[in-house]
Amino acid sequence: REVHDTLLQSMFGFALQCDALAEEAAASAPALRSRLASLRQQVEADIREARQSIWNLRSPSLVEHDLPSALRAVGDQAAASGRLRVTVEVAGAVRRAAPEIEEQLLRIGREALSNSLRHAQATHVRVGLEYGTRHIRLTVSDDGRGFDVANVADANEHLGLTSMRERAEAVQGTLALESRPAAGTTVTATIPG
């Protein structure tokens, strides 16, 4: 996402500048216009290749382990602070999903755990991974201070909710949020397939 928002956008801006220069050079220097058009085509090819590379990126933990193991490792890392206890529970028959699905679920889980540690002042987080016949559901519930969901727009910047929602939607899933002040928070991502 970071590379997409910086490098690829810069490359796209460069391509647009090539178009503008090609238009200016059209009347006075046909050879220059041709070279700029060729450069523009190369930039477009580079953008397509970079997008594909970004899409193919996978967490190293998912290359070596399945999703439940990768989530346990994230939980262990969060618990290493000594302020948080993390339990990971798996229901259903564990199966490998498409790499992009596992990657998005892992990143959603990591973000939700990070929120519990940094913002919620939670002492316990339960990570549930359910393998249904037609879905995979990730649930991250904490016993932290919670917040008013009606004001979730204010919380988006601090809690990464927009990013988690976009990650779920990127793999045709949904993200649900439940929280109340002094009653903890539950984030649930449900992905079909």
Side-chain angles (χ1 to χ4, degrees):
R1 198 173 301 271
E2 294 277 333
V3 171
H4 176 271
D5 290 345
T6 56
L7 175 64
L8 291 182
Q9 294 306 323
S10 295
M11 290 173 71
F12 184 72
F14 179 72
L16 290 177
Q17 289 179 40
C18 287
D19 285 346
L21 286 172
E23 290 301 316
E24 289 177 24
S28 59
L32 178 59
R33 180 180 181 184
S34 174
R35 289 181 60 199
L36 287 169
S38 176
L39 183 59
R40 169 77 153 101
Q41 290 173 348
Q42 181 60 49
V43 169
E44 285 179 0
D46 291 344
I47 289 171
R48 282 191 301 275
E49 185 176 338
R51 279 190 178 136
Q52 186 60 46
S53 295
I54 291 167
W55 186 250
N56 290 336
L57 285 176
R58 283 187 51 95
S59 169
S61 58
L62 285 173
V63 172
E64 298 175 14
H65 305 288
D66 61 10
L67 181 57
S69 299
L71 285 167
R72 283 187 185 96
V74 170
D76 291 346
Q77 186 177 24
S81 69
R83 300 182 352 225
L84 190 65
R85 185 170 58 93
V86 179
T87 57
V88 178
E89 301 167 358
V90 179
V94 175
R95 64 182 183 275
R96 292 308 297 241
E100 57 271 14
I101 290 173
E102 290 187 344
E103 184 66 37
Q104 297 300 4
L105 285 170
L106 178 61
R107 290 179 186 230
I108 291 167
R110 183 179 291 135
E111 180 69 29
L113 271 163
S114 175
N115 290 341
S116 296
L117 181 63
R118 290 184 295 145
H119 303 294
Q121 298 171 345
T123 59
H124 180 237
V125 178
R126 181 193 157 275
V127 178
L129 190 60
E130 174 194 332
Y131 287 89
T133 56
R134 296 187 179 186
H135 70 275
I136 300 174
R137 180 171 293 125
L138 171 69
T139 305
V140 180
S141 299
D142 69 46
D143 64 355
R145 62 185 178 150
F147 59 95
D148 183 3
V149 176
N151 293 324
V152 75
D154 298 337
N156 274 340
E157 292 178 15
H158 302 291
L159 299 178
L161 297 174
T162 300
S163 176
M164 288 189 287
R165 185 167 281 113
E166 288 173 352
R167 290 186 182 287
E169 290 170 356
V171 287
Q172 285 71 52
T174 59
L175 188 92
L177 174 70
E178 297 175 36
S179 187
R180 289 190 332 267
T185 301
T186 299
V187 174
T188 304
T190 304
I191 311 298

